Amino acid sequence: HSDAGYTGSFFRYAALCVAQMLCSWGGTWFFSEVAGIPAVASKIIIDIVLFFISFQIQRRWVFPRHSERKPLS
């Protein structure tokens, strides 16, 4: 890995963190305020789902093996 690779991974990871926080907030708000599910239950469900999604994004986009970076589409 070169320094450029580490820098790229850092910014991709930071972008993923911001996106994950926004999705967690938005999902918790939606399920608790709109769907009427208690906030704690909403938060737990959303964060479990986001954990698995984030894991796959990290494997494929943030920290790909060598040159196996795949587009998210």
Side-chain angles (χ1 to χ4, degrees):
H1 255 331
S2 67
D3 287 342
Y6 288 124
T7 302
S9 290
F10 171 78
F11 286 112
R12 288 188 299 272
Y13 187 77
L16 176 60
C17 286
V18 170
Q20 187 170 353
M21 285 188 290
L22 290 172
C23 288
S24 180
W25 171 78
T28 301
W29 174 84
F30 177 81
F31 284 111
S32 63
E33 297 295 323
V34 177
I37 299 172
V40 172
S42 298
K43 179 72 171 159
I44 291 169
I45 293 166
I46 292 296
D47 284 351
I48 288 171
V49 171
L50 287 174
F51 169 81
F52 290 106
I53 293 170
S54 174
F55 179 77
Q56 289 301 316
I57 292 171
Q58 287 179 55
R59 285 186 67 210
R60 296 176 188 194
W61 183 62
V62 177
F63 306 111
R65 292 184 190 147
H66 305 287
S67 61
E68 294 178 0
R69 184 172 305 137
K70 299 174 186 170
L72 291 176
S73 58

